[in-house]
Amino acid sequence: NAGVTQTPKFRILKIGQSMTLQCAQDMNHNYMYWYRQDPGMGLKLIYYSVGAGITDKGEVPNGYNVSRSTTEDFPLRLELAAPSQTSVYFCASSYATDSGGDGANVLTFGAGSRLTVL
Amino acid sequence: AQSVTQLDSQVPVFEEAPVELRCNYSSSVSVYLFWYVQYPNQGLQLLLKYLSGSTLVKGINGFEAEFNKSQTSFHLRKPSVHISDTAEYFCAVSDSGFGNEKLTFGTGTRLTIIP
């Protein structure tokens, strides 16, 4: 059981370049998320999805786009990379139902993708 | 809106000594509280959670936390730490048991264990 898999682990981009961070989960979770982690700032939610075909903005969505065509995959797209997007990006997933349940708010994280924009 | 404050950004502790990592929250509604741990070069993983019931919650690796509604706190404790506890610890709060998009993380506390 792989859990949440992120690729690539490391990437260096030049200003203005584009790229996609890939995220896949094999736990049949309905919720998926993208966070960025900056030193001393904790985690900030970029985008999230409550199921295939449904996405919504989080706290810091500017400069990013997402799609959710399948339950398993949730790629994050950076269209015009800027130095402010230098960060560690984490994908996560969880399973939630109408009644909440033990799985509510229990996120499974990927190992992270470290992105540097120069 | 909810928020989380972790008062200590770094906590050094000698091995086998006790430790407390502090977390305070603010929210206008009932809350659910969590501690996540991040080991070096890894993603976060759940340490423990409070949804309802007993205010003393036990988690993995000997950690426990106590929910104090009157002081709006959820401090994490361990009676005797080990080198392997070196990690960053994040407190998080949600005001909904359904709808995980409401999870708000604190800025983290880096726990360093001194041999």
Side-chain angles (χ1 to χ4, degrees), chain A residues 38-49:
Chain A
D38 300 299
M41 301 294 289
L43 278 77
K44 301 293 184 185
L45 182 63
I46 305 171
Y47 270 96
Y48 68 96
S49 168

Side-chain angles (χ1 to χ4, degrees), chain A residues 33 94 97 102 104-105 107, chain B residues 34 36 38 49 96-98 100:
Chain A
Y33 320 79
S94 67
T97 65
D102 285 345
N105 293 294
L107 275 60
Chain B
F34 308 82
Y36 280 81
Q38 184 180 29
K49 63 182 179 181
S96 173
F98 173 69
N100 299 334

